[in-house]
């Protein structure tokens, strides 16, 4: 009851914050835009890591793939990609207003779709792995992708690609990408809220709790697992395409496939906020982003030490995360009931066995 | 007796050098309750695992309603209507009882878009009805993992019924259950058989339970079929008694 009335309000509130933030804190528009990206990261990671119990360390692959596919599409529509990437450092190549937006729209959609298709391929072999092997296997894919792209001259290799320049003032550009990332994270949140309320949510939770049992019950486990990865990959691909255009310059190791930063942040944010919950990743992303911005500003040089400490503290002392902790503390607010501790079982079960309906 | 629903013919299975089943043949008649007994390590659970497709068999043939299933995978066999419960109870611990039931609906004809359906109305009603049937209605919103072992076993049984199987393989349904609960469980198993028309094939160590329920009992010893027959005959069979007491 309580949470049912509370819920629509939270979404409206989030919408309000999202729209008002760049007007209230115009100096921080970019930082808040990145926060929305972080929320997309956390939410997509939680689909597999939290709800389905498959801890992936390679989700960044789909982010980078979306980014590169989008870049290649945007450029390829009007120029030869190989020529562009080799000439970009010496010549300024202009895109007209309509060329930019057509390319951007098409590129972003293609980025999302290609990532989703790649997920079908990736899923067909990584889901043979379980537990830590799944984590390492997926990490391998992300690392390999970074190395491959780094030596692929056609897409600029390690020196990257400069994307078409936004045809507008810097303020418009900021707001444009801010609202795109905000819309993406907000739509993703609403989509997942719906998704987790369907059989899909139940099925991936069942896979998390006992995959062998789920197989024994005839569940199409492989289909669910693959679809979960495809959904995560699609949204990550879109976010990659948008973020690539936001930064204006992409390269494989630090921007497209940053296995040690964004890739680890995804996991960390979800653990911090509470995995397997809808709002946990959102809360985790907000808290993490604030911590990160503060440490990066005031403890520069020590930021990775702080980050490492945070990882150790969460993993050792705070595994359930913020939302998980609140749910443990006040389960009834979330509609969860835990069986009361019953030291004596005999009287109740005796009633169960002999008198129908006399169980309680 | 009508056509057998499960036919096991000369099935052998070994793990490394250990022969778990050696040329076992048996048949489970449709609509009845069939028992499988035998001392520890006689290969009962291995035979169950072979039937449900948990591991490939070395040789022999297993047929469900006349169809060869020994090459099919677990999910495919489950979708054909052959289901098993586990010796150590297996439920989805972090979900509540109703959710456990809702995801246990039959997946026989499930297409791509059924993944995103929401089960409401009738299905929820059926789930609650079955939870009431096993006596867990009052606990339906409790997290399944927080139930006692016996209650989890009842939940697992209800989940199996939710799946509308034609045959249900039960691996020691009364093991680890409070003795006072056993009578209620026997009665429910019998009702599942008569009211829902589900053929039962049961591994059981509790002789009182199995003698009371089964129409036919098969006895395994050292991976081989020792004997079979109706409960009274099995009880008197000297070979069965010897197998259990270790005289050989």
């Amino acid at each position: 009851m309580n949470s049912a009335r509370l819920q629509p309000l939270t979404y409206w509130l989030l919408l309000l914050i999202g729209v008002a933030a760049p007007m209230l804190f115009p100096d921080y528009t970019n930082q808040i835009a990145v926060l929305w990206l972080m929320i997309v990261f956390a939410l997509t990671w939680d689909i597999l890591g939290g709800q389905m119990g498959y801890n992936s360390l390679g989700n960044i692959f789909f982010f980078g793939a979306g980014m590169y596919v989008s870049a290649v599409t945007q450029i390829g529509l009007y120029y030869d990609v190989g020529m562009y990437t080799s000439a970009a450092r010496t010549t300024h190549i202009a895109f007209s207003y309509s060329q930019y937006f057509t390319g951007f729209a098409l590129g972003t959609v293609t980025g999302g779709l290609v990532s989703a298709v790649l997920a079908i391929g990736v899923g067909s072999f990584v889901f043979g792995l379980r537990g830590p092997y799944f984590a390492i296997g997926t990490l391998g894919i992300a690392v390999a992708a970074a190395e491959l792209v780094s030596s692929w001259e056609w897409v600029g290799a390690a020196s990257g690609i400069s994307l078409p320049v936004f045809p507008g003032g810097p303020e418009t550009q900021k707001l444009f990408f801010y609202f795109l990332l905000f819309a993406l994270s907000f739509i993703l949140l609403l989509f997942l809220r719906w998704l987790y309320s369907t059989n899909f949510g139940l099925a991936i939770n069942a896979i998390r709790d006992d995959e062998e049992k789920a197989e024994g019950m005839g569940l199409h486990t492989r289909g669910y697992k693959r679809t979960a990865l495809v959904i995560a990959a699609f949204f990550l691909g879109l976010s990659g395409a948008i973020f690539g255009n936001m930064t204006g310059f992409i390269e494989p190791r630090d921007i497209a496939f940053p296995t040690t930063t964004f890739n680890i942040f995804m996991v960390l944010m979800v653990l911090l906020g509470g995995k397997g919950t809808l709002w946990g990743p959102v809360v985790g992303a907000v808290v993490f982003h604030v911590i990160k911005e503060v440490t990066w500003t005031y403890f520069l040089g020590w930021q990775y030490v702080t980050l490492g400490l945070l990882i150790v503290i969460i993993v050792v002392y705070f595994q359930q995360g913020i939302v998980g902790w609140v749910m443990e503390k006040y389960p009834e607010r979330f509609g969860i009931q835990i069986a009361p501790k019953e030291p004596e079982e005999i009287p109740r079960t005796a009633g169960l066995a002999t008198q129908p309906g006399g169980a309680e | 007796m009508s056509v057998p629903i499960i036919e096991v013919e000369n099935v052998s299975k070994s793990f490394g050098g250990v022969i778990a089943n050696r040329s076992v043949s048996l048949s489970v008649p449709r609509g009845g309750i069939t028992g499988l007994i035998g001392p520890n390590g006689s290969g009962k659970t291995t035979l169950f695992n072979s039937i449900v497709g948990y591991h490939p068999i070395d040789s022999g043939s297993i047929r469900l309603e006349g169809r060869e299933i020994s090459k099919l995978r677990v999910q495919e066999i489950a979708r054909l209507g052959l289901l098993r419960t586990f010796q150590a109870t297996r439920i989805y611990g972090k979900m509540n009882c109703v959710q456990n039931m809702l995801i246990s609906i039959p997946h026989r004809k499930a297409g791509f878009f059924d993944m995103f359906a929401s089960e409401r109305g009738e299905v929820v009603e059926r789930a609650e009805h079955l939870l009431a049937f096993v006596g867990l209605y009052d606990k339906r919103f409790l997290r399944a993992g927080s139930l006692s072992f016996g209650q989890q076993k009842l939940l697992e049984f209800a989940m199996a019924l939710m799946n509308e199987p034609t045959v249900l393989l039960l691996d020691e349904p009364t093991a680890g259950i409070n003795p006072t609960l056993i009578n209620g469980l026997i009665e429910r198993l019998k009702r599942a058989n008569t009211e829902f028309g589900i053929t039962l094939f049961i591994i059981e160590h509790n002789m009182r339970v199995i003698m009371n329920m089964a129409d036919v009992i098969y006895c395994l010893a050292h991976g081989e079929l020792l004997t079979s027959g109706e409960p009274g005959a099995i009880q008197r069979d000297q070979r069965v008694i010897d197998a259990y007491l270790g005289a050989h």
Side-chain angles (χ1 to χ4, degrees):
Chain A
M1 272 300 157
N2 210 341
S3 58
R5 242 182 295 123
L6 184 89
Q7 270 195 358
L9 188 70
T10 359
Y11 292 93
W12 284 111
L13 203 67
L14 192 68
L15 189 64
L16 190 72
I17 293 172
V19 174
M23 292 155 210
L24 294 174
F25 312 102
D27 295 344
Y28 295 100
T29 309
N30 272 340
Q31 276 92 330
I32 305 173
V34 174
L35 170 62
W36 297 120
L37 176 69
M38 291 293 156
I39 291 178
V40 172
F41 281 169
L43 283 170
T44 48
W45 192 84
D46 193 55
I47 301 175
L48 266 77
Q51 302 281 350
M52 205 171 82
Y54 272 78
N55 298 314
S56 160
L57 285 180
N59 276 12
I60 201 71
F61 168 71
F62 301 108
F63 174 76
M67 190 182 280
Y68 265 94
V69 167
S70 151
V72 168
T73 314
Q74 281 168 269
I75 297 160
L77 276 176
Y78 309 103
Y79 299 97
D80 180 87
V81 179
M83 299 254 288
Y84 179 96
T85 47
S86 56
R89 277 176 290 283
T90 49
T91 5
H92 176 72
I93 299 164
F95 285 79
S96 76
Y97 191 83
S98 71
Q99 276 182 337
Y100 180 85
F101 285 105
T102 318
F104 177 67
L106 268 176
T108 305
V109 173
T110 319
L113 291 178
V114 171
S115 284
V117 172
L118 285 171
I120 299 175
V122 169
S124 64
F125 64 92
V126 291
F127 283 128
L129 306 169
R130 302 276 157 95
Y133 301 100
F134 180 80
I136 299 300
T138 46
L139 178 63
I141 290 170
V143 173
E147 292 307 315
L148 270 177
V149 175
S150 298
S151 52
W152 192 3
E153 283 299 333
W154 191 65
V155 293
S159 39
I161 311 176
S162 294
L163 286 169
V165 180
F166 186 82
E171 281 309 309
T172 332
Q173 180 182 7
K174 260 192 201 174
L175 287 177
F176 177 72
F177 288 110
Y178 172 90
F179 279 107
L180 274 177
L181 285 175
F182 168 64
L184 183 68
S185 64
F186 194 70
I187 290 168
L188 175 61
L189 183 68
L190 291 180
F191 173 75
L192 291 181
R193 184 174 102 111
W194 165 78
L195 186 71
Y196 295 156
S197 75
T198 67
N199 277 351
F200 192 88
L202 289 177
I204 58 176
N205 285 168
I207 290 170
R208 173 196 64 195
D209 286 358
D210 191 339
E211 186 170 351
E212 216 170 77
K213 170 77 179 173
E215 286 174 359
M217 295 297 285
L219 218 64
H220 294 73
T221 47
R222 206 192 283 184
Y224 281 105
K225 289 193 287 187
R226 215 176 272 179
T227 312
L229 186 64
V230 166
I231 292 170
F234 176 68
F235 281 97
L236 279 170
L238 290 181
S239 72
I242 298 170
F243 187 69
N245 279 281
M246 183 175 155
T247 57
F249 167 77
I250 67 175
E251 58 82 55
R253 288 207 180 88
D254 291 325
I255 296 174
F257 305 101
T259 43
T260 49
T261 52
F262 281 175
N263 195 33
I264 297 300
F265 296 170
M266 292 184 189
V267 188
L268 203 54
M269 290 184 290
V270 174
L271 292 183
L272 182 63
K275 63 177 186 174
T277 59
L278 179 59
W279 282 91
V282 179
V283 173
V286 173
V287 174
F288 174 80
H289 196 60
V290 170
I291 293 176
K292 184 178 145 273
E293 289 298 312
V294 168
T295 50
W296 254 247
T297 314
Y298 297 103
F299 302 98
L300 199 65
W302 288 88
Q303 77 268 41
Y304 282 106
V305 178
T306 337
L307 189 67
L309 264 177
L310 188 66
I311 296 179
V312 172
I313 291 168
I314 293 172
V315 171
V316 176
Y317 296 106
F318 201 57
Q319 286 180 356
Q320 74 275 50
I322 297 165
V323 174
W325 178 79
V326 175
M327 284 170 94
E328 253 172 48
K329 199 94 177 157
Y330 309 101
E332 64 288 351
R333 292 251 175 114
F334 296 87
I336 303 167
Q337 294 179 24
I338 314 270
K341 290 265 177 288
E342 293 169 74
E344 300 257 358
E345 160 139 302
I346 294 132
R348 187 166 37 76
T349 46
L352 239 181
T354 49
Q355 306 143 21
E360 209 83 332
Chain B
M1 201 141 296
S2 56
V3 200
I5 195 155
I6 298 178
E7 290 166 282
V8 174
E9 219 179 288
N10 297 321
V11 166
S12 298
K13 174 72 191 172
S14 54
F15 299 101
V18 182
I19 298 164
N21 286 150
R22 191 200 308 259
S23 196
V24 175
S25 297
L26 55 80
S27 66
V28 177
R30 183 187 291 274
I33 300 181
T34 306
L36 182 61
I37 61 169
N40 287 330
S42 59
K44 304 183 296 295
T45 300
T46 302
L47 184 64
F48 261 31
N49 284 338
S50 299
I51 295 175
V52 298
Y54 187 74
H55 51 217
I57 54 173
D58 298 340
S59 64
S61 134
I62 300 166
R63 285 186 298 276
L64 175 70
E65 299 181 295
R67 179 181 170 173
E68 183 65 38
I69 58 167
S70 57
K71 297 278 187 298
L72 298 182
R73 293 181 309 123
V74 174
Q75 291 109 310
E76 293 165 330
I77 294 173
R79 277 173 229 141
L80 291 175
L82 175 69
L83 221 61
R84 66 94 60 93
T85 66
F86 291 87
Q87 196 170 346
T89 310
R90 301 179 84 155
I91 40 95
Y92 309 123
K94 287 183 192 149
M95 298 155 71
N96 71 31
C97 296
V98 173
Q99 290 173 325
N100 267 274
M101 295 294 285
L102 291 182
I103 198 57
S104 301
I105 50 163
H107 301 277
R108 242 145 274 168
K109 295 181 283 285
F112 181 75
F113 290 102
D114 290 322
M115 288 207 282
F116 308 104
S118 305
E119 297 305 341
R120 299 290 172 260
E122 256 179 68
V123 182
V124 176
E125 226 167 78
R126 207 161 67 79
E128 293 189 339
H129 174 75
L130 285 171
L131 283 171
F133 175 71
V134 297
L136 286 176
Y137 186 77
D138 294 330
K139 305 191 183 308
R140 65 195 185 283
F141 294 122
L142 290 183
R143 199 177 271 197
S146 69
L147 298 175
S148 74
F149 181 77
Q151 290 163 344
Q152 291 189 9
K153 228 157 187 177
L154 289 169
L155 176 62
E156 194 185 23
F157 177 50
M159 286 160 72
L161 295 181
M162 189 75 186
N163 205 289
E164 298 172 1
T166 41
V167 197
L168 186 54
L169 272 58
L170 298 146
D171 198 345
E172 297 196 34
T174 67
I177 287 203
N178 191 318
T180 47
L181 197 64
I182 289 183
N183 285 336
L185 187 64
I186 295 177
E187 187 221 337
R188 289 188 182 100
L189 285 171
K190 281 183 170 171
R191 278 176 62 194
N193 177 246
T194 51
E195 284 175 33
F196 304 127
I198 301 170
T199 305
L200 299 180
F201 188 25
I202 305 175
I203 291 181
E204 189 52 74
H205 269 308
N206 188 327
M207 286 304 143
R208 182 177 68 83
V209 171
I210 199 71
M211 295 303 163
N212 192 338
M213 286 175 66
D215 316 315
V216 188
I217 293 177
Y218 287 90
C219 179
L220 286 181
H222 302 293
E224 288 178 72
L225 190 68
L226 192 66
T227 180
S228 68
E230 45 99 21
I234 291 287
Q235 242 167 338
R236 289 187 299 274
D237 196 315
Q238 191 56 41
R239 286 174 302 171
V240 176
I241 296 164
D242 287 348
Y244 268 89
L245 297 180
H248 49 154

